[in-house]
Amino acid sequence: MTTPLLELSGLTKAYPGVVANSEVSFDIARGEVHALLGENGAGKSTLVKTIYGLVQPDAGTMRLDGQPFAPPEPRAARAAGVAMVFQHFSLFDAMSVAENVALGMETPPALNRLAAQIREVSQSYGLPLDPDRIVGDLSAGERQRVEIVRCLLQEPRLLIMDEPTSVLTPQEVQILFETLRKLRAEGVSILYISHKLEEIRTICDSATILRHGKVVGKCDPKVTAARDMAEQMVGATLSTPSRAGGRTGEVVLELTGLSAPAPRAFGTALKHIDLSLRAGEVLGIGGVAGNGQDELAMALSGEMSVAPGMIRLKGREIGTVGVNARRRMGLLCAPEERMGHAAAPDMSLTENALLTAGPREDLVRHGFLRWGRARGFAERVIERFDVRTPGAGTAARALSGGNLQKFVIGREIMQRPEVLVVNQPTWGVDAAAAATIRQALLDLAEAGAALIVISQDLDELMEISDRFAALNGGSLSAPRPAEGLGIDEIGMMLGGAHDMTPAHGEG
Amino acid sequence: MSNIDPILLLSAIIIVSTPILLAAIGELVVERAGVLNLGVEGMMITGAVCGFIAATSTGSPWLGFAGAALGAALLSMVFGVLTQLFLSNQVATGLALTLFGLGLSALLGQGYIGVKGPVVPDLYLPVLRDIPFLGPVLFRHDAMVYIALFIVLGVWLFLNRTRSGRVLRAVGENHDAAHALGYKVVRVRLLAIAFGGACAGLGGAYLSLVRVPQWTEGMTAGAGWIALAIVVFASWRPGRLVLGAWLFGGATALQLALQASGGVQIPIEYLQMAPYLATILVLVILRAGRAPGSLGRSFHASS
């Protein structure tokens, strides 16, 4: 047996109040795709940042190719052949593809020579890219290609990919996997971070599972059941959400030719969206990020005003009605971004409850805040949704992502909406909390509310939707019953696979 | 109107716009690095007094300009340390820097009011200066006029043609991404702030050594604020910056000429307001381009 490419032994990193990594040891062999599995907060990010030189470990050692490896900064890691594709892209919107690639290289050639190299590498790996385009105009899938091509141009020996498929359509995922297989055949090792277990079973050769910063298991994902891996990740048994059955009522929300210009630079214009939503129904809206999800949510919540007749709530034209008036009428919205949009980070949970629940829960009278009632409401949300926090007086900022998400979704659900629009309800939330949120959404529909769930997570949409529609370039496809919808049909509806071809050569 | 000499007017535009151009090109680099320094006025006036003191005590205007750049750059480092290392709010710190600079310059300049400084000679450009019309308008100025334009050209080349310039733009566009790629965000920004300070100082010294040339308290009279506005007007692009500076310089030179000619029967206060009104109008009419993505946001390498 040859030495592994990268050996980690006893890596430990502590931050004030939390141990991110504790005695983490595992090996990555040459030419293997190694999965690193774990919930949010399990310490995956800290670990890969250590390998990439962004974080210095408190204890423990790494060996690359048998040689001691302790990169003091990313530059050193790159020079040693370690490249990384970030989860939140490390791209610069206002710059061209070629400039973005150059910024990630140690000694970039002149831009026109680099552009030729980008074309060549991107073609040979089946990831076509125009080096002169401005990154801000690219789709999420194309942005990821920029990141990958930037890595490939440095001929890495180890490629780290942090949640690479979270923004891709199923077709784009297939193309990415072809590229990864080609790289593996060339002897490149890949450290693949994800919590999507089916993907890991498809592409990875071995897996290391982290929980609370410790290695809790190693397995061969090809022969281990997804459920077993999930339970190792969570450290508990999981239940899947369920609902009795769909009885739908009257049409409560109607969109007729909903169109709106993009509200900001690099936004998406909405184009002629027609839709009718019945009471008791869950409509799932999928699509690759940046295809109009935020804009649609803004139009529905009332943050963005449109022509009056474009949106009808129970027959009334509400296109120009403001956010609070819509809340009073029963149309509630939970936006995607928790910090700063759904919740004010520096305000307490009680104050945050007041912000959206004021009109419906009678928390404001004659312009004065009714603190007692507001605190009671916040406490009910905390209790019902199992929000882990010292109390309603805690600042929103102090809650973990999953807990705050439970609070902001719960806050809307507890107001007994007639129509609820949620955008990415379980984004960045751990599996147990996600299951709680999904179950609460289904219970709400069961009780007769109409729901629109906008999400990037197709599995989630398939699990809870009655009907499914996809946003693509600001247009909404005709909704179809979610039951029995195949992954290929969904992919066609998302339509995000233009100008993508599988990698050439052997797969 | 008929007794305004177009040659003198155009030549005056160049002179009037130079200090604003200098301050604005410095601020442009600072903002492209993602930092909003509202202390331009304070740095300019500090440069004006430092330049005047250095020039009168050495007798050399060039040492005066050097002293102005150094003094204002040092002052800008107060802002740099506070905002980049101690993460103070950039808007509040910048405003404080302006007030501090105004006070500091008044203190430093106490013994220099009414003193006459050394003369900055015009550059003698043979042949060019004798071209009819263009000669007197463009080629009979002091060296700083041309140095200012060369600085603008240099900044353009730096931002668009060099690797360091690309890194600076990257830091201003998305500081988290730049940090993730291993670039030293704080170091780049401190250097940019120092450059911005030095340029503002040169602009201030141009007022006290060439345009006036004397030391008077508060002599920048809002030029630093105009420089800030022109950076936005120029959409953070050096080429348009020159146009913006000339536009403001043009309005100022025109109102001065109108005052001198006495041909207009309105209170001179209206004329004095005109350049500022013109600047505001242009800013409102022109849609500003896209600001650098991280402009004004504090960076802390925590995650």
Side-chain angles (χ1 to χ4, degrees), chain A residues 195-458:
Chain A
H195 54 239
K196 295 191 182 170
L197 299 163
E198 285 309 322
E199 278 174 9
I200 283 168
R201 288 169 54 85
T202 310
I203 187 80
C204 296
D205 305 307
S206 57
T208 299
I209 302 168
L210 284 183
R211 188 170 75 231
H212 301 317
K214 291 195 176 77
V215 176
V216 293
K218 296 184 187 188
C219 64
D220 179 349
K222 295 231 170 8
V223 298
T224 312
R227 198 176 180 85
D228 291 346
M229 290 193 279
E231 290 180 357
Q232 284 197 61
M233 263 161 67
V234 181
T237 45
L238 289 172
S239 60
T240 37
S242 62
R243 63 184 303 199
R247 274 173 286 102
T248 55
E250 297 285 296
V251 170
V252 283
L253 183 74
E254 261 182 300
L255 308 184
T256 324
L258 172 62
S259 302
R264 59 192 159 80
F266 304 127
T268 309
L270 297 176
K271 294 169 198 138
H272 287 284
I273 295 179
D274 290 314
L275 185 70
S276 67
L277 187 71
R278 292 176 179 279
E281 174 183 46
V282 180
L283 173 71
I285 295 184
V288 180
N291 271 293
Q293 284 92 337
D294 294 346
E295 291 78 5
L296 178 61
M298 283 167 73
L300 289 170
S301 70
E303 286 168 83
M304 185 167 76
S305 188
V306 294
M310 286 179 177
I311 305 177
R312 278 198 184 80
L313 183 68
K314 292 179 284 181
R316 273 187 63 187
E317 298 188 344
I318 59 161
T320 53
V321 171
V323 180
N324 273 324
R326 288 189 198 195
R327 285 205 179 106
R328 258 181 229 110
M329 295 162 73
L331 169 57
L332 271 57
C333 218
E336 170 182 359
E337 179 62 38
R338 293 184 278 265
M339 287 292 182
H341 196 179
D346 291 320
M347 288 182 145
S348 71
L349 294 180
T350 304
E351 287 170 299
N352 272 296
L354 263 168
L355 287 177
T356 77
R360 280 183 83 77
E361 293 295 312
D362 197 20
L363 306 181
V364 181
R365 177 156 295 173
H366 309 305
F368 286 96
L369 308 176
R370 303 174 79 184
W371 283 107
R373 284 182 70 92
R375 195 171 305 114
F377 177 72
E379 278 162 3
R380 287 203 303 283
V381 173
I382 290 168
E383 194 192 327
R384 155 104 197 268
F385 288 87
D386 187 26
V387 180
R388 309 273 163 82
T389 170
T394 312
R397 184 189 293 287
L399 269 65
S400 74
N403 274 314
L404 184 58
Q405 187 70 12
K406 284 195 276 189
F407 182 80
V408 297
I409 299 276
R411 177 181 65 182
E412 306 307 321
I413 290 177
M414 294 286 280
Q415 295 178 50
R416 304 169 316 281
E418 290 175 61
V419 179
L420 177 64
V421 180
V422 288
N423 193 358
Q424 298 271 53
T426 61
W427 182 75
V429 168
D430 63 54
T436 313
I437 291 172
R438 285 175 199 153
Q439 186 62 54
L441 292 173
L442 287 178
D443 291 347
L444 185 69
E446 195 69 19
L451 265 68
I452 293 181
V453 180
I454 303 173
S455 177
Q456 311 272 312
D457 185 343
L458 290 174

Side-chain angles (χ1 to χ4, degrees), chain A residues 50-107:
Chain A
T50 309
I51 300 172
Y52 194 58
L54 277 167
V55 165
Q56 310 311 318
D58 299 334
T61 54
M62 297 186 279
R63 296 175 82 81
L64 185 72
D65 247 349
Q67 303 298 315
F69 176 63
E73 55 176 359
R75 204 164 292 200
R78 284 202 293 262
V82 177
M84 180 158 168
V85 175
F86 291 90
Q87 178 184 11
H88 302 291
F89 302 132
S90 58
L91 296 179
F92 306 94
D93 279 355
M95 301 170 113
S96 72
V97 169
E99 283 187 303
N100 267 282
V101 170
L103 279 163
M105 297 176 76
E106 277 322 299
T107 45

Side-chain angles (χ1 to χ4, degrees), chain A residues 49 52 54 73-75 78 86 90-95 99 102-103 105-106 108 111 150 266, chain B residues 159-160 163 165-167 169-171 173-175 177-184 290 302-303:
Chain A
K49 281 179 180 165
Y52 194 58
L54 277 167
E73 55 176 359
R75 204 164 292 200
R78 284 202 293 262
F86 291 90
S90 58
L91 296 179
F92 306 94
D93 279 355
M95 301 170 113
E99 283 187 303
L103 279 163
M105 297 176 76
E106 277 322 299
L111 275 189
R150 174 155 79 185
F266 304 127
Chain B
L159 287 176
N160 295 301
R163 178 167 164 77
R166 190 187 292 146
V167 172
R169 282 189 290 136
V171 164
E173 182 60 28
N174 183 344
H175 53 214
H179 173 69
L181 290 175
Y183 294 111
K184 306 275 182 241
R290 193 174 159 278
S302 54
S303 51

Side-chain angles (χ1 to χ4, degrees), chain B residues 139-154:
Chain B
F139 301 114
R140 291 187 193 171
H141 298 295
D142 57 281
M144 276 315 284
V145 167
Y146 308 107
I147 289 174
L149 290 170
F150 275 116
I151 290 176
V152 174
L153 181 70

